[in-house]
Amino acid sequence: MKAFEGAISLIPERLDGYYASPEFPTFEVSNREADVRYVKFLCSWPTFWRKLQGESKGIGARRERVSAQKLLEIEVPLPDLAEQCRVADKLDATMSRIAQFATLREHSSQLAQQHRDSLLRPIEELAPLSAALRPSSDFVDVDPDEDYRTAGILNRGRGLFHRPVNSGSDTKYPRYNRLHAGQFVYSKLFGWEGSLAVVPAEFEGVHVSHEFPTFDIDPSVADVEYMSHLARWPGLHDALKDKGTGMGARRQRVNVDRLLATTVPLPSLAEQRRVARQLSMVRQTTEAGAEQLAQVAALRSALLNAAFSGQL
């Protein structure tokens, strides 16, 4: 059902004897025609997935299927066994190093999260968010002849992201809320999942819907950088999990009053700045690691393309 998304794999030894539904056809690899390791890498090749996408049938993206017959009809690069083994040897060596790098980066990210928790959780000075935040919206009427830069918020404190530019004539909203750097913003709909952030400078003037309340941070009570780390803290996300109202997980909303009543660690400004400096240094390191992971992912894709085009 999702083969065209890359749901195709060689079965590892650890899953030998497991069961799957009839929606998961299985095949033996012919040892006379193919090296098992070569087939494993072939299954992870995005170009192969795109070929499967062209063979999918059904209504709606979630219901499209690739039949076993269509799978078997797809042509793939299949040199002689000696060449397959040579390619697989090279990919094995390189991909194992890439996997080791990804594992180390994941471990580094986990350590950074533990460090943040070790700094924030022991703080004894607690206060509701209302002590630091003041509701402050900048609503603008939507002009059908204007274009608007818009944004959303990722869950688990992963920050704001840019959405496509919207024409005023294409939106259902009569008004947009305009963001300003240094504000605290959250999603009513997904606040309980940790969709909250402090607005960075690059999002100054970007627009969001009324579902994204914004707040000025009181500089006499809270440090902006400290609040940006609070927005990323799983401890705050956990505190918001039971603050939603409505029916069904996807329809729960965290209203402003419940957000502002949520208690957070809020020590003196001097202590906030000390904690923020430490967390900012760690954050810079983890963000650099994330960029490296993205580069490694691009390298992995390039290696597979080279392997299956005879250039490796």
Side-chain angles (χ1 to χ4, degrees), residues 88-106:
D89 285 341
K90 287 202 168 186
L91 287 176
D92 265 337
T94 307
M95 295 301 185
S96 64
R97 292 191 182 95
I98 289 176
Q100 289 172 5
F101 176 81
T103 298
L104 289 172
R105 277 297 165 197
E106 177 61 26

Side-chain angles (χ1 to χ4, degrees), residues 49-66:
W49 305 345
R50 287 192 286 273
K51 291 186 177 186
L52 292 170
Q53 187 172 16
E55 298 297 335
S56 61
K57 302 294 181 184
I59 300 174
R62 295 291 96 189
R63 299 183 63 186
E64 292 179 348
R65 283 170 165 78
V66 179

